[in-house]
């Protein structure tokens, strides 16, 4: 597939989420950031997969106690979900619940 393929970005994002779960936040940020850059280049700024990366990064920032930054990224993810999936999709509804308070 190559190191810049969107499927590689999915694996990087998922690994980053696992690292968040075990408390390795610096490492998680590096993996999620790399995956997010691949997705943005390969798929564009409005693709649902980029929303997933933004959502993962928002979760990371919550764990780093940077709630303002987390909400900013989470809101961006929610807007992408709204535009691509619609207002009734579970990902959009969860993002609204998590980040729009």
């Amino acid at each position: 597939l190559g190191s810049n393929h969107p499927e590689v970005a999915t694996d990087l994002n998922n690994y980053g989420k696992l690292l968040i779960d075990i408390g390795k936040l610096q490492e998680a940020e590096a993996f999620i950031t790399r995956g997010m850059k691949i997705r943005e280049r390969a798929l564009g700024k409005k693709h649902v997969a980029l929303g997933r990366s933004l959502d993962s990064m928002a979760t990371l920032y919550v764990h780093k106690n940077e709630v303002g930054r987390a909400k900013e990224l989470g809101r961006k993810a929610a807007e992408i979900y709204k535009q691509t999936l619609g207002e009734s999709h579970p990902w959009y509804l969860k993002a609204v619940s998590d980040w729009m308070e």
Side-chain angles (χ1 to χ4, degrees):
L1 296 175
S3 61
N4 290 316
H5 192 279
E7 290 298 321
V8 172
T10 298
D11 291 341
L12 292 168
N13 188 71
N14 290 342
Y15 188 60
K17 289 175 13 181
L18 173 69
L19 291 168
I20 291 170
D21 290 343
I22 62 172
K24 295 187 175 191
L25 303 182
Q26 274 190 300
E27 290 177 58
E29 187 167 8
F31 280 94
I32 295 168
T33 298
R34 185 170 162 220
M36 187 164 40
K37 288 179 181 179
I38 292 169
R39 284 175 164 171
E40 190 170 347
R41 273 193 313 267
L43 304 171
K45 293 183 183 229
K46 299 294 182 185
H47 196 278
V48 68
L50 182 62
R52 298 302 283 168
S53 289
L54 290 166
D55 215 345
S56 295
M57 190 64 80
T59 300
L60 171 74
Y61 279 113
V62 166
H63 285 266
K64 292 174 71 174
N65 294 315
E66 296 181 35
V67 177
R69 182 73 174 130
K71 285 186 176 186
E72 178 185 335
L73 294 171
R75 288 176 181 144
K76 287 180 183 180
E79 186 58 34
I80 291 171
Y81 298 154
K82 180 180 177 180
Q83 291 176 3
T84 57
L85 302 171
E87 293 182 16
S88 63
H89 194 279
W91 290 356
Y92 173 72
L93 296 172
K94 181 162 182 355
V96 167
S97 173
D98 289 349
W99 311 118
M100 299 294 205
E101 301 172 349

